[in-house]
Amino acid sequence: MRRWVSAEGHEVDSVVIEGRRLLRVRHLGYHVGFCATVEEVAAHVDLADLVEVVDLRRPGRGRARR
């Protein structure tokens, strides 16, 4: 799953609803809207402010053993 966030509290992630891939936009945890295109997302948030969240954990690895 890919997710982007902004310092102003916006969050954009990809979801599938009824077989259709959409971009969900939230601000400070509140639902703003579902968007079909990046242009629609840009109506809610400045795209230049978004950064992708990257999970640095290795797949299939749990907590470190002691």
Side-chain angles (χ1 to χ4, degrees), residues 3-59:
R3 186 167 67 106
W4 299 266
V5 297
S6 75
E8 291 79 28
H10 290 92
E11 184 175 346
V12 179
D13 60 340
S14 177
V15 296
V16 177
I17 298 176
E18 296 180 0
R20 187 173 170 207
R21 184 162 302 278
L22 297 170
L23 296 166
R24 176 175 50 195
V25 179
R26 293 185 279 184
H27 184 245
L28 300 175
Y30 291 96
H31 177 78
V32 173
F34 292 108
C35 301
T37 66
V38 174
E39 290 79 15
E40 292 176 15
V41 173
H44 301 288
V45 60
D46 184 357
L47 299 178
D49 291 340
L50 293 174
V51 295
E52 186 172 3
V53 176
V54 178
D55 185 2
L56 297 177
R57 293 178 288 165
R58 287 184 175 173

